Amino acid sequence: MNYLEAHDKKTGTLVVEYPLHGLELPTLKKMLGIEEGIEIYGYDVSPEQAIELGKYIREPFTVDEKCDYQVGFYRE
């Protein structure tokens, strides 16, 4: 499972993780412009990319301007 992470801009603290349901790693990497063979454990995303990724979050999602966003790539 991969996650969209929201980090407080002032402290850098992780505020919330949103699971990205139904979004396979190859598709996610393609969306973000990351080459398939590259290993990445975290990747900064723009507010616009976060909105696009919000389509894969099951709960209501809006970008919080107090946060920076990053995709967390996790292996299970």
Side-chain angles (χ1 to χ4, degrees), residues 44-59:
D44 293 333
V45 296
S46 68
E48 294 78 18
Q49 289 171 313
I51 291 168
E52 184 69 23
L53 292 170
K55 296 175 184 176
Y56 298 93
I57 298 171
R58 290 186 178 159
E59 59 190 81

Side-chain angles (χ1 to χ4, degrees), residues 7-13 66:
H7 297 264
D8 183 276
K9 284 184 178 181
K10 290 183 180 179
T11 65
T13 305
K66 296 177 186 172

Side-chain angles (χ1 to χ4, degrees), residues 34-50:
I34 301 169
E35 291 182 37
E36 180 62 33
I38 295 177
E39 289 289 325
I40 295 180
Y41 298 98
Y43 187 82
D44 293 333
V45 296
S46 68
E48 294 78 18
Q49 289 171 313

Side-chain angles (χ1 to χ4, degrees), residues 13-32:
T13 305
L14 178 64
V15 177
V16 64
E17 288 183 314
Y18 300 97
L20 298 172
H21 299 279
L23 184 56
E24 298 296 325
L25 184 57
T27 304
L28 177 56
K29 283 186 170 184
K30 186 175 181 178
M31 285 176 70
L32 299 175

